[in-house]
Amino acid sequence: MIERIEKLVLLVVVTIILGVVAGAVCWTFFFLMNNGIKLIWETLPNALGITGFWMPLVVCTVGGILVGLFQKKWPGQPQEMDEVLAEVKANGRYEYQNIGVGFVGALVPLLFGGCLGPEAGLTGVIAGLCTWVGDRLKFLRKEFKELSSVGIAAVITAVFNAPLFGLAVPIFGNAEGELHGDTIKVPKPAKIAIYLLAIASALGSMMGLGLLLGGMGGLPHYSDVEIGWIEIAILIPCAIAGALVGWLFHCYGAFAKMISCKIGDKPVVKALVAGVALGALGVVLPFTMFAGEIQVEELDGIWLEMGALVLIATALIKPFCLQFCLNMGWRGGKFFPMIFCGISLGYGIAYLSGADPVFCLCACTAGVLGTMMRQPLMATLLLFLCFPLKSVFVLLVAAVIGSVVPVPRKWLS
């Protein structure tokens, strides 16, 4: 009995520590990313006197070369979030030999304007770290059998600031919530308690470091939404518009994959081509670059000055930049950029309709993720990171509409 209590206490302590570490790693990543972007895109150009409208083309081209050389040395690093989740689900562990490489590999593309999310490298780092801890606490093998899943729940929560999404992802085994023929096994209450403990620790660590040192990162949260007759009337049109952007995400993916296959096994060439394309589009539409979390804050203050055409064009072109990066060796996540697309589209529709901007953002973004993820519940849980709980009806309806939009099966593979 005493031994069992000791194991339980140790399990709780280690879970809290891992949660804190997950939050700290995420904060460190965002801190390095935000300050690195400022250094590369503002401080150095200003110091060297080489600022100009053509800067995105130069910086993204340099980034393409660096990404290509990195992929030549460490191909396939970092692994995408669903690849990490699949390995953890299949093996109950994630090999940790390359967690440092994965961290750097996720950071470099983002510093040079990559239209990518940060979750890929961070998921692998924490899953590997949890496996490393589990290997060294072998006398708790049974209790730590799914330690990597606990760490994934913590890091996803810290990255997205969405605890329900962070809890759901390891249960499903992927970020889309697809079963792939398996049956969902709802964890026992004790295991859910461990997940929640890790999630709370990660959030506390991330927020504590953010308050203490600044630079917490992540997307902003909209605290209120107005729903009147105008908003109800445009709910379905907003969802359909968002679904179109989600559909284009899959279409662009098929096209980018075809181009990648034609170029072949030439990582430097592919990454360079992506860098040039990203930079060229960034000259015309600057918000097509980067993950989007800092850009959303900028967009909130200037969307009325940008006009509907630029806002909607950005939402239509950014998925192309994302897929071209992903398929040409710029490794990273997809959720932050696609959420930005929904927000940009929502502002464009709000500009044209005069409806409540946050309502338009909710409906459009849910439509985007509903079509992209094909799972409205998971899309809704993820979007709680940006939108208030009172918008749940809008999010669910729009995500359901997006999820039923037909997408060719070959595009989804």
Side-chain angles (χ1 to χ4, degrees), residues 306-325:
M306 292 177 63
L309 180 61
V310 174
L311 290 165
I312 294 172
T314 299
L316 296 176
I317 300 301
K318 195 175 181 76
F320 171 80
C321 296
L322 170 60
Q323 287 285 24
F324 210 62
C325 285

Side-chain angles (χ1 to χ4, degrees), residues 260-295:
S260 177
C261 290
K262 287 186 177 295
I263 295 176
D265 187 20
K266 299 176 181 178
V268 178
V269 174
K270 289 198 292 189
L272 178 59
V273 169
V276 172
L278 179 66
L281 290 170
V283 169
V284 182
L285 295 169
F287 284 116
T288 56
M289 300 182 294
F290 301 106
E293 29 94 44
I294 296 177
Q295 289 68 38

Side-chain angles (χ1 to χ4, degrees), residues 125-290:
V125 168
I126 299 302
L129 178 63
C130 291
T131 300
W132 181 85
V133 172
D135 285 350
R136 278 145 186 81
L137 295 173
K138 294 182 179 180
F139 66 96
L140 289 175
R141 182 174 297 278
K142 181 179 179 181
E143 288 79 358
F144 281 118
K145 184 177 180 181
E146 297 186 18
L147 188 61
S148 295
S149 295
V150 174
I152 287 173
V155 73
I156 290 175
T157 298
V159 170
F160 294 110
N161 194 22
L164 293 176
F165 183 69
L167 180 62
V169 166
I171 293 175
F172 279 97
N174 60 74
E176 275 75 20
E178 298 174 2
L179 296 182
H180 303 299
D182 296 330
T183 301
I184 297 177
K185 295 181 180 179
V186 179
K188 296 179 180 179
K191 188 180 293 185
I192 291 180
I194 293 298
Y195 278 112
L196 293 175
L197 189 60
I199 285 171
S201 302
L203 276 180
S205 173
M206 183 88 167
M207 294 175 66
L209 287 169
L211 291 172
L212 184 64
L213 302 172
M216 191 170 114
L219 290 163
H221 185 83
Y222 301 92
S223 59
D224 197 16
V225 58
E226 295 182 10
I227 303 177
W229 290 110
I230 294 178
E231 287 75 27
I232 293 174
I234 66 169
L235 172 57
I236 294 178
C238 282
I240 293 173
L244 172 62
V245 173
W247 186 88
L248 284 173
F249 167 82
H250 296 295
C251 178
Y252 292 148
F255 174 76
K257 184 179 292 185
M258 179 188 70
I259 298 299
S260 177
C261 290
K262 287 186 177 295
I263 295 176
D265 187 20
K266 299 176 181 178
V268 178
V269 174
K270 289 198 292 189
L272 178 59
V273 169
V276 172
L278 179 66
L281 290 170
V283 169
V284 182
L285 295 169
F287 284 116
T288 56
M289 300 182 294
F290 301 106

